[in-house]
Amino acid sequence: MSVIEEFFQDLEARGIPQAQAARELGCSPGLLSQLKSGTYGGDAAKWLEVIANYMERERNRSTILDIPIVETSLLKQIQAACDIAYDETDISVITGPAGCGKSEAFKAYVRKHQDRVYYLEANKATTPHVLVMRLAELLNLSMKGNASDVTNRIWSFLQGRDTLVIIDQADDLSDHSLEYL
């Protein structure tokens, strides 16, 4: 397998959009597309080396950051709240001070239940439209059509499914985005 094939396979497996990878590499998404299709007219060897180095850094980072999580009482409480939300098909709101471990508890929960849990991390730039598109992408649904069409697809997909959607950092969402949820 070539470096570029391995790179794109890795991006897909980790759910990293091509645009994000391009920003991290310091190039445009178009350059990556050209490398993938073999039509790049510039110094392809240079970019393949940059990509190989990036992949090596990411492999090292994932092994360095693979630190076991400590089962604190907070972790158990958050995971119990997730279990209740899942079992009752209901909404659970979890709050706490910044840095107390909420996001790590969610990520641990997702790893433990990856067959039935979807995780999305919001930020201040997550408008209702962006939220809908990110949810559709997360659920591997088509993002074609207007926001209403995509929302209907999400609703149809989730209805009757044995799943839980965790939206982390929801406090960063605007009131309009929260109402949309």
Side-chain angles (χ1 to χ4, degrees), residues 9-18 20 137:
Q9 188 176 45
D10 181 60
L11 290 183
E12 185 176 333
R14 294 188 303 139
I16 297 175
Q18 184 173 322
Q20 178 183 336
E137 184 179 31

Side-chain angles (χ1 to χ4, degrees), residues 19-36:
Q20 178 183 336
R23 277 191 306 275
E24 292 174 10
L25 290 167
C27 67
S28 71
L31 184 139
L32 292 179
S33 294
Q34 291 173 2
L35 286 170
K36 184 178 184 181

Side-chain angles (χ1 to χ4, degrees), residues 3-147:
V3 169
I4 200 73
E5 289 171 332
E6 185 180 348
F7 172 70
F8 277 97
Q9 188 176 45
D10 181 60
L11 290 183
E12 185 176 333
R14 294 188 303 139
I16 297 175
Q18 184 173 322
Q20 178 183 336
R23 277 191 306 275
E24 292 174 10
L25 290 167
C27 67
S28 71
L31 184 139
L32 292 179
S33 294
Q34 291 173 2
L35 286 170
K36 184 178 184 181
S37 66
T39 60
Y40 182 64
D43 187 359
K46 171 194 166 206
W47 285 106
L48 291 176
E49 183 178 345
V50 168
I51 289 169
N53 290 338
Y54 168 84
M55 290 176 16
E56 183 63 27
R57 271 193 320 274
E58 289 303 306
R59 276 192 290 272
N60 290 340
R61 180 179 296 147
S62 68
T63 57
I64 290 169
L65 296 178
D66 191 20
I67 301 168
I69 191 163
V70 176
E71 291 217 13
T72 63
S73 61
L74 178 65
L75 174 90
K76 291 175 184 172
Q77 288 173 343
I78 290 173
Q79 292 191 341
C82 290
D83 284 337
I84 291 167
Y86 173 78
D87 292 340
E88 301 294 326
T89 59
D90 203 353
I91 293 174
S92 181
V93 177
I94 298 167
T95 63
C100 72
K102 297 178 302 292
S103 294
E104 289 307 314
F106 290 141
K107 291 173 187 173
Y109 189 83
V110 170
R111 282 190 300 273
K112 187 175 176 183
H113 304 286
Q114 55 189 252
D115 58 322
R116 63 180 173 101
V117 179
Y118 295 94
Y119 175 86
L120 186 143
E121 189 170 336
N123 60 48
K124 291 185 187 327
T126 308
T127 64
H129 180 75
V130 169
L131 181 63
V132 167
M133 293 305 163
R134 288 187 58 205
L135 276 170
E137 184 179 31
L138 179 68
L139 302 171
N140 292 318
L141 300 173
S142 170
M143 294 185 283
K144 293 188 191 276
N146 61 36

